[in-house]
Amino acid sequence: LVDLVARRAAEAERARAQSTALARLAATVAASDDPLIRLVDDLRRTFDLDAVAVLRRDGDRWHAQACSGKPCPQSPDDGTDSLELDSSSVLVLRGPRTPADDRRVLAAFAAQLALAIDKQSLEAEAVRARGLAEANRLRTSLLSAVSHDLRTPLATIKAWLTGLLGDDVQFDRHATDEIVRAAVGEVDRLNALVGNLLDMSRLQ
């Protein structure tokens, strides 16, 4: 009877500890914009581990996305246990092996870590998408302004030269020279504009 009571008390304490860990896990995810670091730290403290790391594969190398404890595992082989979070990320634990009764809590931590990684990836994609949208907006504005700046001198040059070629009006030498000089000025303006565009494309 004493043994049974002791086992029941231990089970109740374990269940209480698991409930506390799960409640803290939910609070961490809800309260943090980037819960990855806090989740890893809570996981290490909950299971009294030496170190916990989330590693991401980059080609044939691993790099740590989040780490708590020292020394930080640099590969899955550096830990005493590991769980796959997604196709390129793994959770690495170093320290005492997790008892079977606590695997449910560990699985909950792993699931939340996987969600946090997905969130980071989606946020990075959103930032890239916003950057592309802004670049497209600027490109559209630039093309609109450039097309106007190109058309105005071209239309002016065409009007002047068409007038010179026409038979309905006769221009004297002085007027012809003025028109030609004005057309040359517009051509120089176009040349400068095209040069600026080429410089800008090289910078880009």
Side-chain angles (χ1 to χ4, degrees), residues 2 14 32-33 35 56 104 106 121 124 136 152 162 172 182 185 195 199:
V2 171
R14 182 181 296 277
S32 179
D33 291 335
R56 176 170 285 275
R104 181 172 65 91
L106 180 59
S121 178
N136 284 333
T152 300
T162 301
D172 59 23
D199 289 341

Side-chain angles (χ1 to χ4, degrees), residues 2 5 7 40 48 86 184 192:
V2 171
V5 169
R7 281 190 285 113
V40 167
D48 195 24
D86 60 27
V184 169

